Amino acid sequence: MKNILFIETGRPSISGAYGGSIRSVIQLIELLDLNRYNIFFQLDYKIPTVVNELEALNVKVFTSKDFRRKSKIKRSFFYNFIRKYNQTLPYQLLSIFKKKKEIQNIINIIKKNNISIVHANDRFLANFHVLIAARLCGVAYIQHQRKFEDSIPFLFRIYKNYPFKYIAISAAIKKNLIDYLKVDAK
């Protein structure tokens, strides 16, 4: 029996609603032969309705952060400046160190539960910490690409071929993977 770890890094809306990314992973889990696979799910944000639905499918759920409703952020000059800074190379390189705790948490889940496949459910850069954890543990990694990649820092490009498989949600995303990331069309 293989153990699969699905990872969802998306943030719920202010109302607590979640989008199609979580729904599609739940549908994928429902299609799996649960006699052949043990399923584990790491949610970045604890969303009670999702946790309940996954537990009803006998999925072991881990959560990192409690979801708290916050008011909408005003789009100030400072906010826009920080947002632009987040897209720079130094910030992206330093973000690996910022996610050190999350990487260690995923490594612990992989080792403790004898995970053989990690399935990340967002874009390549949003799941980079997941890729690092899977690679450090030597397990197969599947990248479920849900968005276009606008820019990939040079250092991160060496990891673009680590995923065992890429799953693109559309023909346009597949084209972006092949043309921009230069991922093999297979």
Side-chain angles (χ1 to χ4, degrees):
M1 202 179 258
K2 288 195 176 204
N3 296 335
I4 303 174
L5 173 62
F6 288 89
I7 297 190
E8 173 61 47
T9 56
R11 179 180 299 182
S13 71
I14 292 170
S15 68
Y18 57 92
S21 65
I22 293 176
R23 173 69 24 225
S24 67
V25 171
I26 291 172
Q27 290 171 345
L28 178 62
I29 291 169
E30 290 172 336
L31 293 173
L32 292 174
D33 181 355
L34 299 181
N35 293 319
R36 292 181 55 202
Y37 301 103
N38 289 319
I39 308 299
F40 300 83
F41 203 105
Q42 164 69 32
L43 274 168
D44 263 9
Y45 293 89
K46 185 176 184 177
I47 308 169
T49 55
V50 175
V51 172
N52 292 340
E53 189 170 352
L54 288 166
E55 288 177 345
L57 295 169
N58 293 322
V59 173
K60 173 73 174 155
V61 180
F62 305 96
T63 57
S64 300
K65 306 167 196 145
D66 282 333
F67 173 67
R68 292 183 180 85
R69 292 188 175 109
K70 296 180 181 177
S71 61
K72 290 188 177 185
I73 300 171
K74 293 182 181 176
R75 305 292 187 210
S76 66
F77 171 77
F78 180 72
Y79 174 82
N80 288 327
F81 174 78
I82 294 298
R83 190 174 167 139
K84 288 290 182 196
Y85 175 73
N86 288 353
Q87 297 171 5
T88 64
L89 179 62
Y91 177 83
Q92 291 177 350
L93 292 174
L94 291 173
S95 69
I96 296 296
F97 297 109
K98 180 179 151 188
K99 296 209 175 230
K100 183 179 177 185
K101 183 178 178 183
E102 292 175 45
I103 293 169
Q104 188 58 53
N105 183 41
I106 294 167
I107 288 171
N108 291 341
I109 292 171
I110 291 170
K111 288 181 177 179
K112 182 179 178 185
N113 297 291
N114 198 24
I115 301 294
S116 52
I117 301 171
V118 175
H119 178 281
N121 192 41
D122 204 335
R123 61 191 176 83
F124 180 76
L125 279 181
N127 286 320
F128 196 73
H129 64 292
V130 179
L131 183 147
I132 289 173
R135 185 165 183 166
L136 289 172
C137 293
V139 299
Y141 176 81
I142 298 172
Q143 174 60 46
H144 197 154
Q145 192 75 5
R146 307 190 76 63
K147 285 176 108 178
F148 290 108
E149 293 295 354
D150 297 327
S151 65
I152 303 278
F154 178 74
L155 178 66
F156 294 174
R157 288 178 188 248
I158 62 174
Y159 294 103
K160 70 178 174 54
N161 290 320
Y162 181 72
F164 174 70
K165 292 283 184 190
Y166 277 91
I167 300 172
I169 65 164
S170 69
I173 298 288
K174 181 179 179 180
K175 183 172 174 20
N176 178 255
L177 284 168
I178 294 167
D179 294 348
Y180 184 72
L181 284 180
K182 308 292 186 217
V183 171
D184 186 357
K186 292 185 263 177

